[in-house]
């Protein structure tokens, strides 16, 4: 029970950080944060499916995949994370307004923050939604960090949607994914417990010397 509570606190933190990056740095510059939105646009373009329903359908399908391959706990955590992210985007959008700045600065800042949030979520065994589910599956069964498969999947979707989205936005989206997925791998591989133990040993050594 204590472990579950700790996990959901960390999922909440990761989702809020992710929503903060989207609402204040990426979405104001029309920079897509992932591939699920790109798939929704493609369904709308090819099959005339409403974008809102297409986005729900893509995320729901990927969540079914998560339930089958990752287990109910991961799927529930993913649904919780997506909900907190959505609420965070709404909250930050209506309560905080960043002054206009250079788009490349927003891109760099937002991508780094986004990568930190996604990395925290993936460390808890849950996806950030969208292509994060498949990236987590690849990471689990191939034993590799999820950042690289996430970059490849989202990159392919961004390229596919280039015919109906401004090429400048696609380039920004790919750069954002490249930066954020590298940060994801750094956060995902970070050995926090080992660092805490080293700090404890160092602290104990300083105390012993003083004695």
């Amino acid at each position: 029970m204590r472990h579950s509570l700790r996990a959901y606190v960390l999922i909440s933190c990761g989702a809020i950080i992710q929503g903060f990056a989207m609402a204040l740095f990426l979405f104001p510059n029309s920079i897509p944060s992932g591939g699920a939105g790109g798939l929704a646009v493609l369904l709308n373009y090819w099959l005339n499916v409403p974008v809102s329903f297409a986005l729900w359908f893509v995320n729901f399908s990927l969540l079914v995949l998560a339930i089958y391959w990752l287990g109910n706990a991961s799927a529930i955590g993913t649904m919780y994370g997506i909900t907190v992210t959505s609420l965070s985007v709404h909250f930050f959008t209506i309560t905080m307004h960043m002054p206009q700045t250079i788009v490349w600065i927003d891109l760099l800042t937002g991508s780094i923050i986004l990568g930190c949030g996604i990395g925290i979520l993936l460390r808890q065994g849950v996806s950030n939604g969208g292509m994060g589910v498949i990236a987590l599956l690849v990471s689990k069964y191939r034993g590799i960090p999820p950042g690289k498969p996430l970059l490849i999947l989202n990159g392919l979707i961004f390229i596919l949607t280039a015919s109906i989205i401004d090429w400048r936005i696609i380039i920004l989206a790919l750069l954002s994914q490249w930066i954020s997925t590298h940060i994801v791998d750094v956060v995902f591989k970070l050995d926090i417990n080992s660092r805490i133990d080293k700090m404890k040993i160092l602290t104990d050594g300083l105390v012993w010397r003083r004695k």
Side-chain angles (χ1 to χ4, degrees):
M1 181 66 185
R2 188 176 299 172
H3 175 74
S4 297
L5 179 61
R6 178 179 178 273
Y8 273 93
V9 168
L10 289 171
I11 292 171
S12 299
C13 291
I16 291 170
I17 292 170
Q18 179 179 232
F20 178 80
M22 292 176 178
L24 297 184
F25 297 101
L26 300 181
F27 288 171
N29 293 292
S30 300
I31 301 173
S33 60
L39 288 177
V41 172
L42 285 173
L43 288 173
N44 174 261
Y45 181 73
W46 287 328
L47 304 175
N48 202 29
V49 178
V51 175
S52 57
F53 176 77
L55 188 59
W56 174 84
F57 177 77
V58 170
N59 276 313
F60 178 78
S61 301
L62 291 170
L63 282 174
V64 171
L65 186 69
I67 292 173
Y68 184 79
W69 290 103
L70 299 177
N72 292 332
S74 179
I76 292 171
T78 297
M79 286 187 281
Y80 173 75
I82 291 172
T83 301
V84 174
T85 298
S86 300
L87 292 173
S88 299
V89 169
H90 177 72
F91 173 78
F92 289 124
T93 299
I94 63 175
T95 59
M96 298 182 67
H97 300 281
M98 297 290 288
Q100 281 192 334
T101 184
I102 301 173
V103 64
W104 299 105
I105 295 177
D106 283 351
L107 170 70
L108 178 61
T109 306
S111 300
I112 291 173
I113 297 173
L114 179 70
C116 290
I118 295 175
I120 293 171
L121 292 173
L122 294 177
R123 280 181 68 96
Q124 302 310 308
V126 305
S127 163
N128 62 310
M131 295 300 104
V133 173
I134 300 178
L136 196 59
L137 280 171
V138 174
S139 172
K140 179 179 179 180
Y141 290 102
R142 295 293 298 274
I144 61 174
K148 187 174 181 179
L150 186 62
L151 173 62
I152 294 172
L153 288 166
N154 284 334
L156 290 173
I157 293 170
F158 291 149
I159 292 171
L160 279 174
T161 54
S163 60
I164 49 178
I165 299 178
D166 186 351
W167 273 105
R168 189 181 73 93
I169 298 300
I170 293 299
I171 293 170
L172 292 175
L174 289 172
L175 282 172
S176 176
Q177 286 297 303
W178 185 82
I179 296 169
S180 63
T181 50
H182 276 71
I183 299 298
V184 165
D185 282 347
V186 171
V187 175
F188 188 81
K189 293 188 292 185
L190 188 64
D191 191 349
I192 298 174
N193 291 329
S194 176
R195 289 178 179 272
I196 291 174
D197 290 340
K198 288 180 180 178
M199 289 179 64
K200 186 177 179 182
I201 291 172
L202 180 61
T203 303
D204 291 343
L206 290 173
V207 171
W208 181 82
R209 287 182 181 180
R210 287 178 181 178
K211 289 180 179 180

